[in-house]
Amino acid sequence: MNYPIWQLGFPGGLLIATVAVLHVFVSHFAVGGGAYLVLTERKAYRNNDRELLNYARAHAKFFALLTLVFGAVTGVGIWFSIGLVSPDATSTLIHTFVWGWAMEWVFFFVEITAALVYAYQWDRLDRASHQAVGWIYFVAAWASLAIINGIVTFMLTPGRWLETRNFWDGFFNPTYFPSLAIRTAMAVALAGMFGLVSTLQLRGGIRERVARWSGAWVVVGIVFLPLFGLWYYRAFPGFARRYLAGGISAAGTAVNLAIAAAALALVVTALAALWKPRALNGAVVALVLLSGLATLGSGEYLRELVRKPWVIGGYLYANGIRADALKQISATGVSADSRWLAAKPAADSLAYGREIFVLECSACHSVGGYRALRARVRGWDEHFAYQALPHLQLMRGTMPPFAGNETDRAALAKYLASLNPATVSISPANQVAAGREVFEIHCAACHTVRGAFRPLNLAAMKAGAIDRLLKILPALNPNMPPFTGSEAERRALARFLETGQPTS
Amino acid sequence: MQHLPIASPDPIPLPGPVWLLRTLLLLTFFLHLVAMDLALGGSLLAVFYRLRRKSEFARQTARDLAAKLPVMMAYTITLGVAALLFVQVLYGNFLYASSILIGIPWASVIVLLILAYYGFYYAAMHDEAGAGVRVVGALAALLLLAIAFIYVNNMTLMLTPGRWIALYRRHVSGWNLNLGERALIPRYLHMLTAAIALCGLFVVLSGIRQRTTQFGQWLIRQGAAWFAGATVVNYGFGLWLLLSLPARIRALVLGANGVATVLFGAALFLSLAAVVHALMLRAGRRPVANASVCVATALAAVALMVVIRDYVRNGYLPPGYQFGQLRVVSQTSIIVLFFVLFAAGLATVYYMLSKVAAARPAGDPASARQQKA
């Protein structure tokens, strides 16, 4: 809350994700492509293959043009976007890892020089020196990946750093090695995928030779992914594994998409590059590239998703509030901590409530667009919202706890209730359907009926008995807020629960 | 003071001594600045020489600059990343806030940079004679001018927290610039003119390498004129910048701070020495000696200006935010590791460049082309 919030109308995380996925796509190519280029060059010299050498030379130019410009500048773009969207997290990372980044910068500097020399001084250097420069490039590029990997994985699993605050404890954290293995395999696959792009320029037998050679890189890279993926998954923190086990449907979707996209890339490459390279054309290569992007993109999306409610596990919540600051904010209120509020703190101020929303919710939620709050608070009234706020962290496990005092809580409740008021119309004829609606409004944030997440199954009970339980929810479990709907809504809800119809 | 919306220092201590972080910031910023000056100045000079189509020398100069701009851009960005890293660790609680306030222009820097960079590659890879190169080259130069302007906005805004709340109230989406800043325009012009001056020295140096040819002589005269002319104009912009600073900060370099004042005087003296040597170059006397002195004094003046800029920056900081109060827990072993890697990195770069230099065929390609012409 130290910083102003950049209010774009959508969660800034989307901007980071877009920049990051594009960067990662090209920068992993930049790593694997280095090894691909030198090995292609070496192969050409060994087989005295002029055509292959010419291909390598042309591919090096394409490689430089894509990685030195788009790859490097989008990397700076990540710096810019994380500073704009998550300044608190960026500051934490900088203070912890500035020397790590400084080392990464050394490799980056070597990498840029080596890439320029490799691509543009090809004819001046003798064979051995030129290949040596190529290897220097690859080693520097992979080393910079290995350093950034330490910082990226730290955010998901800071490990012993939380107690020791030691650089190496944070760096070599539980997901460091599996993530490095996945990224290296992806770099190999992407080297082959972009190799296929340059293959399209070729005609005749050389085209088939290069297609087979590039295709092999794709296959070798992808084949390792399931194994490394499993290793990675096993290093996840417990809460993240629960998301994948059904806690958040988007997590499952991301995993499925990653698997499907990788499988598609594998099959298409095997068929159109290895088996029948004559079949290779622009559309096929585009499909392989898109599959690669989808594999990588869903992997990165997943990593960010399962990290919730944290941006730095156990230390900093996704909304930029430090775990150790919660108590103080609850005591003094948000206004004592934030220097940027326009509205005066007042329990009945809608404007102030909106400011609390901006501070605490807008990092992940928009009002009506991406992860829309309007859909999530449908039918909420002030009383219900007020009761729900202290339990945010229990909903699906992805939300940080509410931070603030009574005034903040009441104001935010007022704002949330204003977003999408709805009344359930109940008649004797539609009790069950109306009850389902009441369930969606009052219960579904934390429960399903016979679904994957915190399932309820009250089908064995009569509606009357359920109704009696609904009156005393906090007594059943102190984490449950009281039922705040009308009597008619409560009865309809009981009728719905009695049927045992499933929800998701 | 406590009414200023400045973020509290990060609860995680600084991972290295302030003097070391500051030294690295100033060093990498100086290197970034030189590369940036060559890229920005080079892009403008290339546009200028493309307009003088009748002169073969001018066309050749535009071609040579165009061929080097992608490399200059690569190092501007690479060295800028290091400066960005160190400025964040020392001034993050100022820089993050000001960046957010001008979020839209600030984020657009990335897009503008990619477009400009590809523009320079396009110009380097296409025939200078075509209209395409003239248009693309001019657009790319304009994009760099825009980026520089956005940077000057942020670098001034980060130092004036008193202005932040009003800007935030105006546009929470970051559709702001720091146009209310008195020092904005003079500072921009000062940086821009210095870029043209330094690139003039780059032209001089390319002339020195082929000084026995007519073209080489021409380059030396042209470059010296750019340097001397731009620097003299820049005394005016510099004075304007000085006058637009708040009196308290202006006083720092005019006597209130002994070190800053001496450095400022030394920088002025060095720049004057550089101008005198540039004029001697232009007269055609002892090119190698005069060019060496001119480049050395000019670079020394730039380096001193970087230090003076740091004094000015710290002069803006409110009293509660002096570095002495920050907690430091040095990650000593990692700092040592960084310096070892840094030395190894420099050695590797030296190895690669020496290979290229050793393989260079006799006669510079530019002079070879020149002889053909």
Side-chain angles (χ1 to χ4, degrees), chain B:
Chain B
M1 220 296 299
Q2 53 257 63
H3 301 301
L4 290 176
I6 303 167
S8 349
D10 201 288
I12 298 180
L14 279 179
V18 171
W19 65 265
L20 179 60
L21 292 165
R22 274 177 84 173
T23 307
L24 287 170
L25 169 61
L26 296 187
L27 177 69
T28 52
F29 178 71
F30 167 71
L31 296 172
H32 163 67
L33 193 63
V34 171
M36 184 280 280
D37 283 345
L38 297 185
L40 177 60
S43 72
L44 294 171
L45 291 196
V47 170
F48 173 84
Y49 283 116
R50 277 186 199 119
L51 291 175
R52 296 180 54 191
R53 265 181 287 173
K54 283 196 190 127
S55 155
E56 166 59 25
F57 286 171
R59 286 203 304 272
Q60 184 61 45
T61 309
R63 259 196 295 274
D64 291 347
L65 283 170
K68 286 176 181 115
L69 276 169
V71 177
M72 293 167 175
M73 287 295 287
Y75 286 101
T76 301
I77 294 167
T78 312
L79 295 163
V81 166
L84 179 65
L85 181 63
F86 293 116
V87 81
Q88 284 186 84
V89 76
L90 287 172
Y91 298 92
N93 37 4
F94 297 88
L95 183 62
Y96 295 135
S98 60
S99 304
I100 292 167
L101 297 178
I102 60 162
I104 300 282
W106 186 241
S108 75
V109 162
I110 298 302
V111 179
L112 304 182
L113 191 54
I114 290 176
L115 293 175
Y117 204 163
Y118 276 123
F120 291 131
Y121 264 105
Y122 175 89
M125 297 189 312
H126 287 79
D127 183 10
E128 272 292 327
V133 167
R134 281 201 299 280
V135 173
V136 172
L139 286 177
L142 273 179
L143 292 177
L144 287 200
L145 286 176
I147 293 169
F149 185 65
I150 296 169
Y151 261 82
V152 174
N153 271 272
N154 202 359
M155 295 303 109
T156 49
L157 184 58
M158 71 178 267
L159 299 176
T160 47
R163 236 187 236 127
W164 291 354
I165 292 283
L167 278 186
Y168 191 54
R169 296 279 176 271
R170 195 180 318 156
H171 289 294
V172 290
S173 61
W175 271 111
N176 291 308
L177 283 170
N178 192 25
L179 299 179
E181 165 68 53
R182 278 182 68 208
L184 183 75
I185 300 300
R187 185 164 168 163
Y188 181 55
L189 292 174
H190 192 57
M191 299 294 274
L192 194 64
T193 312
I196 292 170
L198 266 207
C199 192
L201 287 188
F202 181 80
V203 173
V204 167
L205 288 183
S206 18
I208 291 287
R209 275 202 299 271
Q210 42 193 316
R211 61 186 172 281
T212 51
T213 67
Q214 263 197 333
F215 180 50
Q217 298 289 329
W218 184 84
L219 282 175
I220 294 173
R221 283 197 307 276
Q222 286 281 313
W226 281 115
F227 175 77
T231 305
V232 168
V233 170
N234 224 4
Y235 289 130
F237 289 145
L239 183 65
W240 182 9
L241 172 59
L242 194 65
L243 292 175
S244 65
L245 295 176
R248 180 176 61 85
I249 292 161
R250 179 168 58 236
L252 286 179
V253 296
L254 298 177
N257 183 307
V259 181
T261 307
V262 169
L263 291 179
F264 186 56
L268 284 178
F269 173 77
L270 285 166
S271 69
L272 213 62
V275 170
V276 169
H277 283 87
L279 293 176
M280 296 204 289
L281 266 177
R282 205 169 146 64
R285 267 180 288 166
R286 296 197 301 149
V288 177
N290 279 326
S292 310
V293 176
C294 185
V295 170
T297 46
L299 287 180
V302 173
L304 290 185
M305 283 295 176
V306 165
V307 179
I308 291 158
R309 178 180 175 274
D310 190 54
Y311 272 98
V312 169
R313 170 165 56 198
N314 293 339
Y316 272 100
L317 297 187
Y321 282 86
Q322 298 305 341
F323 293 119
Q325 298 165 355
L326 294 176
R327 212 155 61 85
V328 174
V329 177
S330 282
Q331 300 173 343
T332 310
S333 60
I334 299 155
I335 297 174
V336 171
L337 185 59
F338 160 69
F339 277 104
V340 170
L341 277 175
F342 187 56
L346 285 182
T348 312
V349 168
Y350 176 78
Y351 162 80
M352 291 189 287
L353 296 184
S354 67
K355 284 287 177 192
V356 173
R360 190 178 289 245
D364 195 84
S367 64
R369 269 203 298 268
Q370 176 54 29
Q371 276 148 16
K372 252 186 272 163

Side-chain angles (χ1 to χ4, degrees), chain A residues 83-224:
Chain A
L84 286 168
V85 174
S86 306
D88 295 280
T90 311
S91 177
T92 305
L93 294 176
I94 282 277
H95 279 77
T96 310
F97 291 115
V98 70
W99 297 113
W101 263 305
M103 286 188 259
E104 193 263 344
W105 174 77
V106 171
F107 288 117
F108 179 51
F109 190 80
V110 171
E111 191 185 329
I112 295 291
T113 307
L116 286 169
V117 171
Y118 186 85
Y120 297 107
Q121 309 291 336
W122 193 307
D123 296 319
R124 281 194 184 165
L125 293 180
D126 61 277
R127 288 179 182 189
S129 305
H130 188 255
Q131 288 179 63
V133 170
W135 284 121
I136 289 172
Y137 172 82
F138 170 69
V139 170
W142 186 83
S144 78
L145 167 76
I147 292 180
I148 294 300
N149 180 61
I151 299 168
V152 171
T153 52
F154 162 82
M155 295 169 78
L156 175 61
T157 50
R160 276 164 32 87
W161 177 88
L162 290 172
E163 294 104 56
T164 64
R165 295 289 156 92
N166 177 292
F167 179 97
W168 295 115
D169 283 338
F171 189 84
F172 289 115
N173 61 75
T175 49
Y176 179 83
F177 287 106
S179 166
L180 185 61
I182 291 183
R183 289 181 185 283
T184 305
M186 249 350 266
V188 170
L190 282 169
M193 289 180 189
F194 280 96
L196 291 177
V197 175
S198 290
T199 311
L200 295 173
Q201 302 290 325
L202 305 171
R203 294 288 168 267
I206 177 68
R207 180 170 170 139
E208 292 181 22
R209 288 207 299 285
V210 176
R212 285 218 166 88
W213 165 242
S214 306
W217 282 69
V218 177
V219 171
V220 168
I222 293 180
V223 158
F224 281 100

Side-chain angles (χ1 to χ4, degrees), chain A residues 239 242-243 245-249 388 390-399 439 442-458 477-481 496-497 501-504:
Chain A
F239 65 87
R242 278 196 295 281
Y243 295 158
I248 324 178
S249 57
H391 306 281
L392 291 185
Q393 69 277 23
L394 294 170
M395 286 187 165
R396 297 252 165 163
T398 48
M399 285 223 270
F439 182 88
H442 288 266
C443 320
C446 304
H447 291 286
T448 58
V449 179
R450 297 194 294 148
F453 192 75
R454 244 181 246 140
L456 300 172
N457 189 358
L458 305 175
N477 180 339
N479 282 325
M480 285 227 270
F496 166 69
L497 289 172
Q501 289 174 14
T503 68
S504 58

